[in-house]
Amino acid sequence: MFIVGWLFKNVSCNAVAQKIYVELNNTVPCVRLLNATHQIGCQSSISGDTGVIHVLESEADLEWPLSKGPNPPYMVLLESSLFTKSIMMKMKNASSRVAGVVVVPKTSQPEFSPHTTCPNENTGVYTETYDHNLAHCNTTVWNPRGNGLSYEEFDFPVFSLKEDNETEVIKQCYFDHNRVVNGSGLQYPLCAMQLFSHMHAVTDTATCMRRSSMDFSTSPVMVCDPLGGYNVCTFIRPYNSTAFGHKENESVVIAAARLDSRAFFLEDSTGAEGSVSGFVTLLAAAQALREATQEAPPTRNILFAFFHGEVFDYIGSSRMVYDMKNNMFVIDLDNVHSILEIGQVKTCISINVWTYKCMDIRSNNNESVTNLVKNLQSSTAGLNLSFVETGFSQPLPPSSFQRFLRARAIPGIVLADHQTDFNNRYYESFYDNAAHLNLTYPSNLSPEEQLEFVTDTAKSLTEVATAVARALFKQAGGNNSQVNKINADPKTVTQMLYGFLVRSNNSWFQSSHQANALTYLVQYLLANLTGTATNLTQSQCKKPDELPNESTYLYSYLWVQGVVPPNSTQRESFCVRTAVRLVKAVSPAFDLGDYVSKEYSTWTKSQWKFIKARIFLCKICSYFIFFVLSNNVLFTVSWD
């Protein structure tokens, strides 16, 4: 059976042979995400979307692409100062005249958070059945600036431009051919843009996972993938990595921070205050404790845990709790003595301590929390820093600690720079960057000199890291005589901030690992900061289990690039013996096949065939699609 037809649409351009495309190679697309109930994000049509370029210069200028312009649909180019919920929703509601949107990250807005006002509100400790008065941010709206833009769905592509030269090419093409003069557009040819970002997944996670499982071809195509990755973990005293479950007579203090952040464009996220400030501080604390815990080991163990996927309903922390409950981790919840988590800690001299105290008076929870706060407050000797405990009526802010509390009333605290709602006016947006964290450098410094320059932000976070390291040592039962010898290194902190937020392609990061993926960078940095350099060769480092005095049950062995000495071109590489491990951080919902779970994260990311953006001149600006339906398979061919 064959069905043949023609579809006309007033958008594209002149004959294929006459086109000269300018490819845009530095773009980041908004992609589609799905969960148990719906889909969010953006996509193009299956053959891409094409429109005449219109540069938006003010919100009032929307009238041209949305109603007055004679050549719809339009590709709207706007600078980030105009990337607002109001403007985006107006274009969404007139999507028949909008083919797509391209955002140019330039001047920041005074405040902008495309996240929700109540992050992770359905997967924390406060629920309809437990402390329901505190559920859904009833007492404290943590992110009042949140406009929810990242959780909207757009049926047209939205891209971010990363290259200034490409932006200027587009604008020049617009000014030469498309700019409105005296209320009317110019004559053909017009400058047009084509965006490709068709997503395979639709509807929700259950639907896309079912479609993925039904592909029985020799080369199955995944429609969507669960969000997640790996947590990065290390103990100061390693356990056998193959012996899961409870450890008799073992007590463990957990020190935690989250690794991930998000933005409207997932790849545009840096999370300077939202996540980097916290995990850099914890990395520095781990390094500060290395010598003290080796010279005078405390009675309790310390687990440093860097959780991945926390933005999407606590993927990493909920996975660890699930594994602890099901004897799939090297300790269980009974081994957990207490938890200290570092949240958002932007430059400041006063850090707020959020505590969770158990309402059950039979529990020793409250006493343990009080001791933890005292250990923290007494660890600031010689530091320009104080810790202030928040009131008992205040709920915990969004934090990984909440996932542990859903399972067990464990003593713990969360450190943050805000007393009520977030100070971070750019929470989960591309503006939460180095500038927002006040990372500034003298203009006459080279990149390598900037790497070594200790900023005020680095000094501030170093003090927090020092206090945290001292408090952890005390909480673990360490000898008080060692406490004031524990100090974080400001040079290490400034190098980490520079590498994560300013320039990842620097000599210090390269000396650890060549990969740019955040999880692996943190893995190698943590190994370097807490591990032991060995004299193993590269081949021995790859197969240490063949050596009599090495143990892959207790340690990992990582080959580190090393530095390039002066007057040399060769790196001094070496093998590090470390207790650092990568631990699975994928929601238990996908192990359980429960894609409508209310207990665990169900977030997935759609797969796509390719992402592409290009501009060209068009003379006629109309095109048609010839389609053939044969045996229920649709084929399309287009001419311009």
Side-chain angles (χ1 to χ4, degrees):
M1 173 183 178
F2 290 88
I3 301 176
V4 180
W6 303 90
L7 174 65
F8 292 84
K9 190 175 181 182
N10 293 325
V11 284
S12 194
C13 299
N14 58 308
V16 175
Q18 295 177 299
K19 285 183 186 174
I20 300 177
Y21 290 109
V22 175
E23 303 291 339
L24 306 175
N25 298 315
N26 292 284
T27 61
V28 176
C30 162
V31 300
R32 173 169 289 169
L33 304 177
L34 309 95
N35 66 8
T37 58
H38 63 293
Q39 63 188 26
I40 62 174
C42 322
Q43 76 155 354
S44 73
S45 60
I46 193 169
S47 56
D49 289 314
T50 303
V52 174
I53 295 172
H54 180 79
V55 175
L56 198 69
E57 297 177 356
S58 68
E59 185 164 359
D61 193 31
L62 271 175
E63 186 180 24
W64 185 263
L66 299 191
S67 61
K68 292 180 63 177
N71 304 107
Y74 288 91
M75 281 286 179
V76 180
L77 180 79
L78 51 84
E79 291 197 356
S80 51
S81 58
L82 293 173
F83 184 56
T84 65
K85 178 76 174 286
S86 171
I87 288 176
M88 288 300 294
M89 294 307 291
K90 286 178 180 179
M91 289 190 285
K92 176 179 178 177
N93 294 331
S95 59
S96 63
R97 290 183 60 91
V98 176
V101 175
V102 177
V103 181
V104 182
K106 287 285 187 182
T107 308
S108 61
Q109 302 176 30
E111 57 182 44
F112 178 73
S113 173
H115 207 67
T116 61
T117 58
C118 190
N120 290 355
E121 67 174 298
N122 296 313
T123 47
V125 67
Y126 306 111
T127 65
E128 301 298 335
T129 56
Y130 186 86
D131 273 359
H132 63 88
N133 290 331
L134 302 179
H136 308 298
C137 296
N138 284 338
T139 60
T140 303
V141 177
W142 296 110
N143 186 35
R145 303 170 186 85
N147 60 35
L149 184 61
S150 291
Y151 291 83
E152 292 287 342
E153 181 188 4
F154 296 93
D155 60 1
F156 49 73
V158 183
F159 279 49
S160 172
L161 278 180
K162 307 296 291 182
E163 175 59 55
D164 288 342
N165 289 339
E166 292 185 344
T167 301
E168 292 309 311
V169 168
I170 297 170
K171 286 185 175 180
Q172 191 60 52
C173 191
Y174 165 78
F175 289 129
D176 289 347
H177 299 278
N178 297 13
R179 194 172 193 186
V180 179
V181 177
N182 297 324
S184 63
L186 297 180
Q187 301 299 311
Y188 296 114
L190 298 177
C191 191
M193 180 182 290
Q194 197 168 28
L195 300 178
F196 299 85
S197 63
H198 182 68
M199 301 285 126
H200 294 330
V202 294
T203 309
D204 53 36
T205 287
T207 302
C208 77
M209 293 299 290
R210 183 177 67 251
R211 290 180 177 177
S212 294
S213 66
M214 292 173 63
D215 188 343
F216 301 111
S217 65
T218 55
S219 300
V221 176
M222 292 299 295
V223 177
C224 65
D225 291 314
L227 290 181
Y230 292 97
N231 297 327
V232 183
C233 302
T234 189
F235 290 89
I236 61 170
R237 291 193 302 274
Y239 297 117
N240 185 331
S241 62
T242 64
F244 296 152
H246 185 70
K247 297 292 183 291
E248 289 295 332
N249 303 316
E250 286 290 314
S251 181
V252 180
V253 178
I254 297 178
R258 72 173 170 107
L259 284 178
D260 62 306
S261 60
R262 72 157 304 183
F264 183 87
F265 303 99
L266 286 182
E267 293 182 29
D268 263 355
S269 175
T270 51
E273 181 179 359
S275 58
V276 175
S277 66
F279 74 68
V280 162
T281 301
L282 189 58
L283 284 167
Q287 181 195 30
L289 277 171
R290 181 182 182 274
E291 186 174 336
T293 55
Q294 289 181 349
E295 289 183 1
T299 55
R300 298 186 184 96
N301 209 339
I302 301 174
L303 165 61
F304 293 95
F306 299 82
F307 293 121
H308 183 72
E310 296 302 273
V311 176
F312 295 100
D313 293 331
Y314 304 120
I315 292 173
S317 55
S318 64
R319 181 72 205 202
M320 179 173 282
V321 172
Y322 175 82
D323 287 348
M324 286 184 176
K325 290 170 64 176
N326 290 279
N327 293 324
M328 297 165 62
F329 194 67
V330 294
I331 60 172
D332 65 10
L333 290 170
D334 288 334
N335 291 124
V336 179
H337 173 268
S338 52
I339 297 174
L340 184 155
E341 180 175 351
I342 306 175
Q344 301 182 84
V345 283
K346 190 182 176 182
T347 307
C348 52
I349 60 173
S350 178
I351 299 292
N352 294 287
V353 183
W354 303 80
T355 62
Y356 176 87
K357 294 185 178 179
C358 184
M359 300 303 293
D360 185 351
I361 61 174
R362 298 167 296 176
S363 171
N364 66 353
N365 184 294
N366 294 353
E367 182 181 351
S368 298
V369 171
T370 299
N371 289 337
L372 186 50
V373 173
K374 286 181 178 178
N375 287 334
L376 193 62
Q377 291 175 331
S378 63
S379 298
T380 59
L383 303 177
N384 186 31
L385 178 69
S386 65
F387 291 98
V388 180
E389 186 176 0
T390 57
F392 180 72
S393 61
Q394 275 283 67
L396 284 170
S399 51
S400 306
F401 180 34
Q402 291 202 30
R403 287 303 304 189
F404 286 85
L405 291 173
R406 279 178 76 113
R408 182 82 50 95
I410 298 172
I413 61 177
V414 178
L415 309 183
D417 60 11
H418 52 93
Q419 202 165 44
T420 52
D421 54 87
F422 297 159
N423 288 333
N424 188 351
R425 66 184 189 275
Y426 297 132
Y427 184 73
E428 306 300 2
S429 82
F430 47 44
Y431 298 129
D432 189 9
N433 53 25
H436 176 54
L437 212 57
N438 299 321
L439 291 183
T440 56
Y441 303 88
S443 58
N444 62 335
L445 297 185
S446 68
E448 286 300 304
E449 289 171 332
Q450 291 178 352
L451 174 66
E452 304 292 328
F453 181 79
V454 180
T455 62
D456 290 339
T457 301
K459 293 175 184 176
S460 177
L461 295 186
T462 300
E463 297 219 322
V464 180
T466 295
V468 166
R470 292 174 179 177
L472 288 171
F473 190 73
K474 292 179 183 179
Q475 188 71 2
N479 192 320
N480 281 334
S481 65
Q482 299 287 320
V483 170
N484 288 336
K485 299 178 184 178
I486 298 172
N487 292 285
D489 178 18
K491 181 178 178 181
T492 300
V493 174
T494 209
Q495 288 173 326
M496 287 193 287
L497 290 174
Y498 183 80
F500 286 119
L501 296 173
V502 180
R503 187 170 179 261
S504 61
N505 185 23
N506 64 73
S507 61
W508 193 66
F509 268 26
Q510 289 171 355
S511 69
S512 294
H513 192 46
Q514 286 186 328
N516 289 322
L518 175 62
T519 299
Y520 297 108
L521 277 172
V522 171
Q523 175 197 15
Y524 271 74
L525 285 175
L526 186 58
N528 265 345
L529 297 176
T530 62
T532 302
T534 70
N535 59 2
L536 300 182
T537 66
Q538 187 170 7
S539 59
Q540 289 173 327
C541 196
K542 290 180 179 179
K543 297 181 179 180
D545 50 334
E546 296 179 355
L547 302 175
N549 297 321
E550 304 296 340
S551 172
T552 54
Y553 295 118
L554 294 178
Y555 299 103
S556 297
Y557 295 80
L558 302 177
W559 188 252
V560 176
Q561 298 280 61
V563 299
V564 179
N567 302 318
S568 175
T569 58
Q570 297 295 318
R571 293 187 178 275
E572 292 183 343
S573 302
F574 57 95
C575 182
V576 170
R577 182 194 302 116
T578 176
V580 175
R581 302 275 184 181
L582 295 182
V583 182
K584 184 178 180 181
V586 175
S587 171
F590 298 97
D591 287 11
L592 300 170
D594 184 5
Y595 306 134
V596 295
S597 174
K598 294 183 179 180
E599 175 67 17
Y600 298 112
S601 172
T602 56
W603 284 104
T604 53
K605 181 168 70 172
S606 176
Q607 290 292 307
W608 55 82
K609 188 173 182 180
F610 60 88
I611 301 293
K612 190 175 183 179
R614 56 189 183 181
I615 64 172
F616 56 92
L617 291 178
C618 59
K619 292 182 179 178
I620 304 174
C621 288
S622 65
Y623 78 95
F624 55 83
I625 294 177
F626 171 77
F627 63 89
V628 180
L629 183 63
S630 175
N631 296 326
N632 296 321
V633 178
L634 179 67
F635 300 91
T636 66
V637 183
S638 65
W639 289 268
D640 299 319

